């Protein structure tokens, strides 16, 4: 695995040394932003702040990305895949304080763990407040992005007419998210199983599974949330996961008697599965809660300057800038999934596009990236985590601040993000019943508030 990474690094270095593109140091003529989810909207707002000429290209008819709930499965009215993984009754799993756009806050008194629908209304309010819609071009599916030697050619298809168009862009922001291409691992005997199989991407409503025998695979955010939703409606809920030991360290959720916790699947049978502890269960439906792949089929691998796979994009300086073609940035490629990171990356991208700071030389950027990869390896990260910002998130925020002059985010936000993730495991069924309040740049407090939601952005 590491040998493969070294090969890609060498290839990236060779590509870097042969590239003749200069680092961005003056305002760009036109910015093209791909995607109008959280990252794309944040980028649009900052490009507008700098007075740049920009267009957001959105494939669907609506803004919001994965935060817009769509009850359909498969394709939409224009024949596009349903990109959103939002489901009914979703509530955010982090306090809204660490998800807000900069300088656009929820009113005080709002319940900390709001519904996904309320957060989507907040995003629409954000678009109205800053007047972004005039620069968002919907029903425009990006099909190809290519570097011509002096600018970017961006080709898109209008999904209503099926006509293709190509436009020239001086700067490109890739903000397409990562929650639309399901990852389903190969497990022995999958082809033998006769029941229904699906991914959490297509999960919409717990009522669809009432009275059925369901197995969940995975215990990431979706796996844990679906366990909570489905444990009250299914006749049997088998949960295959490999964080059982973690649950023993923390508090085992007090699920109903129909909930059965199991280790990883050893192999499937026609009607169920045998697990690594050699026990077996039968069920009617498998829901894979196993995450998502990166998907950038529109990027020209020959000219874009980045190596893209299902698991990573590289080399990126500061987890944002395409080192080989620094007039392209990526927002939201990095881990962890902390919304404040996306907002700061959007500010950083806009400052770069506006010529507010000058990047280091390519040699320096590549050396910085290689050192970061080495640090991740020393910290026991997997090679597929090459886009992670690392353990010290505040140090990453400080680096963006020093280089681009973006606001320095107080450490209380990272502390709140880390703490709320820990409480999710400690009290899965009730962690959302608390409100979080920021006391200072370093401190916050929480208090019990199991009240019903009143969304302040209801139309």
């Amino acid at each position: 695995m590491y040998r493969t990474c070294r090969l890609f690094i060498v290839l990236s270095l060779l590509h870097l040394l042969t590239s003749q593109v200069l680092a961005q140091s003056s305002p760009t003529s036109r910015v093209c932003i791909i995607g109008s989810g959280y990252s794309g909207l944040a980028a649009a707002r900052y490009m507008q702040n700098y007075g740049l000429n920009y267009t957001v290209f959105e494939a669907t008819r609506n803004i919001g990305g994965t935060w817009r709930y769509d009850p359909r499965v498969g394709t939409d009215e224009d024949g596009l895949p349903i990109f959103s993984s939002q489901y009914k009754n979703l509530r955010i799993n982090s306090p809204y304080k660490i998800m807000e756009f900069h300088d656009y806050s929820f009113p005080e008194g709002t319940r900390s763990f709001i519904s996904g629908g309320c957060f989507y209304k907040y995003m629409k309010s954000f678009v109205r407040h800053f007047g972004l819609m005039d620069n968002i071009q919907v029903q425009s599916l990006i099909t190809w992005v290519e570097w011509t030697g002096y600018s970017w050619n961006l080709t898109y298809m209008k999904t209503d007419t099926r006509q293709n168009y190509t436009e020239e862009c001086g700067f490109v922001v890739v903000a397409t998210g990562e929650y639309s291409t399901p990852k389903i691992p190969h497990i022995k005997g999958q082809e033998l199983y006769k029941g229904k199989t699906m991914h959490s991407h297509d999960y919409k409503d717990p009522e669809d599974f009432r009275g059925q025998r369901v197995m969940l695979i995975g215990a990431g955010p979706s796996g844990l949330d679906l366990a909570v939703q489905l444990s009250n409606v299914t006749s049997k809920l088998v949960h295959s996961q490999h964080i059982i030991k973690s649950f023993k360290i923390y508090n085992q959720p007090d699920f109903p008697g129909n909930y059965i916790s199991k280790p990883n699947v050893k192999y499937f049978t026609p009607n169920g599965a045998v697990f690594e502890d050699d026990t077996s269960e039968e069920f009617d439906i498998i829901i894979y809660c196993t995450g998502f792949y990166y998907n950038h089929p529109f990027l020209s691998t020959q000219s874009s300057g980045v190596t893209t796979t299902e698991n990573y994009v590289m080399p990126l300086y500061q987890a944002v800038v395409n080192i080989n073609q620094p007039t392209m940035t990526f927002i939201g490629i990095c881990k962890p999934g902390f919304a404040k990171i996306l907002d700061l990356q959007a500010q950083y991208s806009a400052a770069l596009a506006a010529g507010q700071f000058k990047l280091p030389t390519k040699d320096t950027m590549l050396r910085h990236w290689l050192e970061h990869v080495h640090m991740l390896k020393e910290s026991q990260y997997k090679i597929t985590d090459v886009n992670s910002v690392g353990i010290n998130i505040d140090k990453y925020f400080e680096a963006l601040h020093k280089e681009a002059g973006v606001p320095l985010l107080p450490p209380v936000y990272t502390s709140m993000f880390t703490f709320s993730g820990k409480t999710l495991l400690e009290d899965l069924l009730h962690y959302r019943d608390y409100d979080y309040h920021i006391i200072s740049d370093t401190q916050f407090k929480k208090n019990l508030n199991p009240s019903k939601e009143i969304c302040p952005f209801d139309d």
Side-chain angles (χ1 to χ4, degrees):
M1 185 71 74
Y2 287 106
R3 187 174 300 169
T4 301
C5 179
R6 288 196 294 270
L7 175 61
F8 277 123
I9 291 172
V10 170
L11 292 175
S12 297
L13 176 59
L14 291 174
H15 191 120
L16 179 72
L17 294 176
T18 58
S19 177
Q20 300 300 316
V21 180
L22 297 176
Q24 181 81 359
S25 59
S26 58
T28 188
S29 56
R30 187 194 183 197
V31 177
C32 295
I33 301 169
I34 306 174
S36 69
Y38 184 99
S39 299
L41 295 178
R45 179 265 191 97
Y46 293 117
M47 298 296 175
Q48 181 169 281
N49 285 356
Y50 283 116
L52 296 174
N53 175 22
Y54 74 93
T55 302
V56 181
F57 294 87
E58 168 56 44
T60 71
R61 299 185 180 192
N62 303 279
I63 61 98
T66 202
W67 286 104
R68 181 180 178 272
Y69 172 68
D70 191 325
R72 295 170 295 191
V73 173
T75 56
D76 66 10
E77 63 270 43
D78 293 319
L80 297 182
I82 300 296
F83 295 114
S84 174
S85 296
Q86 184 87 191
Y87 46 86
K88 193 174 181 181
N89 303 328
L90 180 143
R91 287 178 66 185
I92 61 176
N93 59 12
S94 297
Y96 71 76
K97 286 286 186 184
I98 59 177
M99 297 178 63
E100 293 173 325
F101 293 109
H102 181 65
D103 281 346
Y104 195 72
S105 302
F106 280 79
E108 285 298 324
T110 304
R111 186 177 68 175
S112 286
F113 292 89
I114 59 173
S115 67
C118 184
F119 193 77
Y120 177 59
K121 291 175 182 177
Y122 163 75
M123 295 176 71
K124 291 197 296 182
S125 177
F126 173 82
V127 169
R128 289 193 299 268
H129 180 80
F130 289 101
L132 304 180
M133 203 64 216
D134 289 344
N135 292 78
I136 299 176
Q137 185 172 305
V138 298
Q139 293 182 281
S140 300
L141 176 68
I142 302 301
T143 57
W144 196 243
V145 177
E146 182 177 34
W147 176 252
T148 66
Y150 57 90
S151 66
W152 296 96
N153 275 354
L154 184 147
T155 301
Y156 64 93
M157 179 186 73
K158 286 294 291 178
T159 60
D160 52 347
T161 65
R162 291 312 199 229
Q163 294 295 310
N164 294 311
Y165 302 89
T166 298
E167 299 193 22
E168 185 177 302
C169 310
F171 195 99
V172 172
V173 178
V174 181
T176 50
E178 59 165 309
Y179 300 113
S180 60
T181 304
K183 178 190 297 185
I184 297 182
H186 176 74
I187 301 175
K188 184 179 179 181
Q190 273 174 328
E191 67 282 357
L192 301 176
Y193 177 68
K194 296 179 179 179
K196 181 179 179 180
T197 299
M198 60 183 290
H199 190 275
S200 61
H201 173 69
D202 293 325
Y203 172 87
K204 298 297 180 180
D205 189 338
E207 286 300 319
D208 295 337
F209 304 89
R210 181 167 291 279
Q212 300 188 59
R213 300 177 302 170
V214 177
M215 182 172 78
L216 300 175
I217 297 181
S222 296
L224 293 177
D225 211 26
L226 266 59
V228 174
Q229 289 204 5
L230 293 175
S231 62
N232 294 310
V233 299
T234 52
S235 61
K236 179 166 76 170
L237 182 63
V238 181
H239 194 180
S240 172
Q241 47 164 306
H242 52 253
I243 67 165
I244 296 175
K245 292 181 180 179
S246 296
F247 273 146
K248 289 181 179 178
I249 292 173
Y250 296 111
N251 299 316
Q252 179 69 33
D254 186 21
F255 285 119
N258 67 325
Y259 177 87
I260 303 171
S261 182
K262 290 291 181 181
N264 290 344
V265 175
K266 191 173 183 179
Y267 59 88
F268 284 106
T269 65
N271 300 310
V274 174
F275 302 92
E276 289 183 344
D277 60 359
D278 290 325
T279 61
S280 62
E281 293 289 344
E282 293 188 348
F283 36 82
D284 308 307
I285 301 172
I286 302 170
I287 305 178
Y288 285 91
C289 306
T290 45
F292 297 83
Y293 287 122
Y294 292 141
N295 189 21
H296 301 97
F298 51 84
L299 286 179
S300 165
T301 55
Q302 289 187 329
S303 70
S304 67
V306 289
T307 298
T308 63
T309 74
E310 295 173 332
N311 297 304
Y312 52 82
V313 178
M314 66 181 198
L316 300 181
Y317 175 65
Q318 301 288 28
V320 178
V321 181
N322 176 351
I323 295 175
N324 288 319
Q325 306 290 1
T327 52
M328 172 181 280
T329 62
F330 291 78
I331 303 176
I333 286 295
C334 70
K335 306 292 184 183
F338 181 6
K340 285 294 185 181
I341 292 179
L342 310 184
D343 192 81
L344 286 173
Q345 289 180 337
Q347 293 186 66
Y348 182 94
S349 295
L352 178 60
Q356 296 297 302
F357 70 99
K358 186 174 181 179
L359 291 169
T361 65
K362 286 195 173 183
D363 284 346
T364 301
M365 288 193 289
L366 183 63
R367 190 178 304 113
H368 180 278
W369 179 73
L370 292 171
E371 290 171 353
H372 181 70
V373 171
H374 178 72
M375 179 274 292
L376 292 174
K377 179 183 175 183
E378 292 296 307
S379 301
Q380 306 302 312
Y381 280 79
K382 298 177 182 177
I383 193 57
T384 51
D385 295 326
V386 69
N387 294 117
S388 172
V389 302
I391 296 173
N392 195 329
I393 300 175
D394 286 327
K395 185 176 179 181
Y396 176 69
F397 290 157
E398 184 178 354
L400 298 187
H401 167 71
K402 286 183 176 180
E403 184 171 30
V406 301
L408 181 60
L409 198 69
V412 65
Y413 289 98
T414 302
S415 298
M416 195 183 301
F417 172 74
T418 304
F419 181 83
S420 64
K422 182 171 177 285
T423 59
L424 184 154
L425 289 178
E426 289 179 332
D427 192 8
L428 179 62
L429 300 181
H430 305 291
Y431 75 98
R432 293 186 179 98
D433 292 340
Y434 291 84
D435 279 342
Y436 285 68
H437 304 277
I438 294 176
I439 301 172
S440 68
D441 284 353
T442 58
Q443 292 182 308
F444 66 91
K445 66 178 182 179
K446 72 169 191 171
N447 62 276
L448 184 64
N449 180 22
S451 62
K452 292 184 178 181
E453 175 176 277
I454 300 175
C455 183
F457 295 99
D458 280 334
D459 295 331

